[in-house]
Amino acid sequence: MLMHQSSGPEGTIAGQDDGATPSSPPAQSIDESFKERARQILAHSQTVTAGSVHLIGLDEIRQELGDRWGSVNERVHVYTERMLKKVLSPRDVWFRYGENHYIIVFAQADRRSAQLTCSKVMESLHQALLGHADTRRITVKTAVVDVGGGVALDTARLADLLKDAVHKPEGTAAASPPPADAVFPAAVSTAIPAAIPAAEARRPHRPEMPADTITPQSRPKVLFRPVFDVKHKVVSTYCCRTDADTARYLNLMDAFDPEREEAVFDLDMETLSLAVSTYNELYANKFRYAQTIPVHFGTLASSRRRREYIQACRMIPRVLMPFLAFELDGLPAGVPYGRLAEIVAMLRPFARAAMAILHEDAGDLSVYATAGVKGVGLRLDGREDEPHILERLQTFCPGPRKFGMFAYVDGVRNPVELEVAEAAGAAYLSGPIIGEDSEVPEHMKRCTERQLLQRSRRRHHPETPWG
């Protein structure tokens, strides 16, 4: 039986077998089968109480995927299991039960908090895999003890749990604490807020991180940055970027710290999930834009991380792929052609192009072009003095064009940098002067450079009546 428990009290679950295949319920309804299994767990463990044993299922996802389920079901399970590993604490236990279900045993959370955590996991799965989440159809089943001492099932809908949470006094029940070694718990937070606004019920809640307390338990926050197309005078592309707190947290970690590698990997997975789920929802509402998704070299250089990342890419809806591009970040100097070509080839089936962004001016552009990279970007550091930034722009931008690639610049902050970057041949520009990072992309905007500057002045000086 496939069972996962990072650590926990001895005797938490009795009668577990080790094996490669999931536990199969008997030939009876899943409800009756779960009641029987829960009865065994409760009877053989002194540390597990009624209300801590829960069942979640993938039947709704299977039904919506239809004929596609046969080819993608294992990837769906990989995605689900990775989410459970990140969300649950080391003392919690989960295992696959039957073909499409999971049993979760919480070590500390009360019944309502555990139900809400399970339901929010399912909401995140629906949002990421289907592009929408109907809170009225997302349910979790809980084993409870009836008046006669037997085991009964309590079925809770996410819509009802959210409604109850709005009226619950702040600070009542909290779910099991997050794993101490989880740098960024993906998908949902195990500490469910006491009140969730109704307008936000359709998406996973993302707690704000205090500016002066970035902790390993904080999830990375991903924002959408507008990009200006110099030739067509339009803002119709968005690139994903982390917020300042997440970037600062990563920058403070040692570059060779294994925890940083995992943190960056979690950031890449969160970015991919958010970008695709957001676009999937907007696409259904006739919203179109080009989306750039960054992925770090370290994620694709590790066989384990690469496998998980590509598995997640396979869940991207085909209709979105022509609008997506991957941006390779952190390419080492002197990366071999074969290695880079292999990475580009892995990403090519899921997007229209692969690009590379550099933090320094170094980079063998001929290798990039031969490997299939379509564009190369330069990320400006605002801490540098202005003359040095302008010199870098003039030196960098003509380079990619010589090898048939386009040049783009991220971090443009003032009119002088914008003018110099355009004059040097940059095809795309992003940064504070183009537009602020936002939680969702906006509609396409046609505008000239003069209009961009006017909008930038209004954002920074709203009280000034600019003409």
Side-chain angles (χ1 to χ4, degrees):
M1 180 174 67
L2 188 64
M3 185 277 289
H4 297 264
Q5 181 182 22
S6 300
S7 62
E10 294 183 2
T12 301
I13 298 182
Q16 293 176 337
D17 304 317
D18 293 328
T21 57
S23 173
S24 299
Q28 62 190 87
S29 74
I30 189 66
D31 285 1
E32 291 301 317
S33 172
F34 172 56
K35 285 168 60 176
E36 179 60 32
R37 190 71 178 97
R39 186 180 296 110
Q40 296 172 4
I41 294 172
L42 293 170
H44 291 87
S45 175
Q46 298 178 349
T47 60
V48 178
T49 60
S52 63
V53 184
H54 305 266
L55 180 77
I56 60 175
L58 305 177
D59 292 333
E60 291 285 346
I61 294 175
R62 176 177 182 173
Q63 182 178 347
E64 290 231 15
L65 290 177
D67 294 339
R68 292 183 59 204
W69 175 258
S71 60
V72 303
N73 73 87
E74 281 307 313
R75 294 198 290 271
V76 172
H77 280 293
V78 168
Y79 193 90
T80 303
E81 290 167 10
R82 184 177 188 276
M83 188 177 296
L84 290 171
K85 289 176 185 177
K86 289 293 183 180
V87 169
L88 302 179
S89 84
R91 294 173 59 84
D92 300 329
V93 176
W94 61 269
F95 53 91
R96 189 167 164 182
Y97 192 60
E99 184 179 358
N100 302 321
H101 292 80
Y102 290 85
I103 289 179
I104 304 171
V105 183
F106 285 85
Q108 295 176 328
D110 65 64
R111 186 171 98 190
R112 230 39 177 174
S113 296
Q115 287 176 329
L116 191 52
T117 299
C118 291
S119 296
K120 294 296 285 182
V121 168
M122 293 305 300
E123 182 191 27
S124 295
L125 282 173
H126 280 235
Q127 192 69 47
L129 300 175
L130 303 177
H132 61 85
D134 186 347
T135 59
R136 296 167 300 179
R137 298 173 62 185
I138 295 175
T139 62
V140 58
K141 299 180 186 295
T142 304
V144 296
V145 177
D146 59 24
V147 292
V151 174
L153 292 188
D154 174 36
T155 301
R157 297 189 309 165
L158 176 56
D160 297 331
L161 293 170
L162 292 175
K163 185 178 179 181
D164 292 343
V166 171
H167 302 291
K168 178 180 273 189
E170 186 173 355
T172 49
S176 301
D181 60 346
V183 179
F184 291 131
V188 294
S189 171
T190 54
I192 301 298
I196 302 175
E200 296 184 1
R202 62 181 176 83
R203 66 177 62 187
H205 181 69
R206 290 180 169 82
E208 294 296 326
M209 295 184 290
D212 57 345
T213 55
I214 312 287
T215 68
Q217 287 76 28
S218 302
R219 289 182 58 214
K221 185 171 183 179
V222 181
L223 301 172
F224 295 88
R225 178 170 299 177
V227 179
F228 179 60
D229 184 332
V230 174
K231 179 180 179 181
H232 298 98
K233 308 302 180 190
V234 64
V235 175
S236 60
T237 299
Y238 283 83
C239 57
C240 290
R241 294 290 182 259
T242 60
D243 71 330
D245 290 337
T246 303
R248 181 159 57 91
Y249 172 72
L250 291 174
N251 290 336
L252 289 174
M253 300 181 75
D254 188 282
F256 300 101
D257 187 344
E259 287 192 6
R260 186 183 190 281
E261 295 179 359
E262 284 300 314
V264 170
F265 173 55
D266 285 338
L267 171 62
D268 286 343
M269 294 293 287
E270 173 77 4
T271 302
L272 177 64
S273 175
L274 177 69
V276 172
S277 61
T278 299
Y279 206 148
N280 212 11
E281 182 176 344
L282 295 176
Y283 186 91
N285 293 315
K286 311 300 182 184
F287 195 106
R288 304 290 186 270
Y289 56 96
Q291 175 68 63
T292 300
I293 303 174
V295 56
H296 291 79
F297 177 78
T299 293
L300 301 175
S302 160
S303 59
R304 175 184 63 82
R305 301 186 192 107
R306 179 173 63 246
R307 182 172 59 253
E308 289 193 37
Y309 191 83
I310 295 302
Q311 285 172 337
C313 287
R314 292 194 177 105
M315 301 308 300
I316 299 174
R318 288 189 177 277
V319 294
L320 299 186
M321 293 178 184
F323 301 96
L324 306 181
F326 287 102
E327 180 184 59
L328 300 173
D329 196 350
L331 289 178
V335 58
Y337 159 76
R339 190 69 176 276
L340 184 56
E342 179 188 17
I343 289 174
V344 172
M346 283 190 298
L347 297 174
R348 185 177 292 124
F350 312 110
R352 58 185 170 83
M355 308 180 301
I357 190 163
L358 307 177
H359 299 260
E360 303 293 337
D361 303 342
D364 192 335
L365 298 180
S366 63
V367 169
Y368 292 175
T370 308
V373 173
K374 299 301 181 183
V376 181
L378 176 65
R379 179 166 295 153
L380 300 180
D381 187 342
R383 296 169 295 182
E384 294 180 289
D385 60 90
E386 187 73 4
H388 183 55
I389 289 178
L390 300 182
E391 181 182 350
R392 292 183 67 196
L393 289 172
Q394 293 170 332
T395 302
F396 169 78
C397 291
R401 298 176 62 189
K402 295 178 181 177
F403 297 95
M405 302 179 290
F406 61 84
Y408 65 100
V409 181
D410 184 35
V412 180
R413 290 172 171 79
N414 58 55
V416 177
E417 293 175 4
L418 185 147
E419 182 180 355
V420 171
E422 286 195 4
Y428 299 92
L429 303 172
S430 61
I433 201 166
I434 305 300
E436 301 294 339
D437 298 351
S438 59
E439 292 193 356
V440 291
E442 299 178 3
H443 284 286
M444 178 181 71
K445 297 176 184 175
R446 294 195 177 276
C447 54
T448 63
E449 286 81 355
R450 182 173 182 272
Q451 290 170 326
L452 280 175
L453 296 179
Q454 288 176 339
R455 290 171 181 169
S456 177
R457 293 190 188 105
R458 292 192 189 102
R459 285 195 302 271
H460 295 93
H461 305 281
E463 73 286 351
T464 305
W466 300 99

